[in-house]
Amino acid sequence: QVVAERCRAAIAGHPCHVGGDSVVALSASIGVASPGTDDDVDALVGRVDEALYQAKAKGRDRVIVAP
């Protein structure tokens, strides 16, 4: 979670110059999960994916940790 938040903040902290004087603000939504004792790869990826969708649904530009 700490690393994901650092990545999100770094992305948000750097404007993207898209030509001329045009600048676009960047953001990142990140889902994080730790493997459970019974998780296989598909289950872990599914939990990360669900956390990512929650981050987007809650307004984007945030880190959500799966339970």
Side-chain angles (χ1 to χ4, degrees):
Q1 180 180 1
V2 171
V3 172
E5 182 57 40
R6 285 182 192 158
C7 291
R8 188 212 56 77
I11 290 167
H14 288 80
C16 181
H17 299 275
V18 293
D21 292 332
S22 299
V23 177
V24 175
L26 300 177
S27 66
S29 298
I30 302 172
V32 177
S34 296
T37 55
D38 295 331
D39 278 348
D40 61 8
V41 172
D42 290 335
L44 179 60
V45 171
R47 292 190 313 113
V48 170
D49 193 45
E50 180 59 32
L52 172 60
Y53 281 107
Q54 286 180 18
K56 289 180 177 184
K58 291 182 179 184
R60 302 185 180 212
D61 197 31
R62 64 188 64 228
V63 174
I64 297 290
V65 178

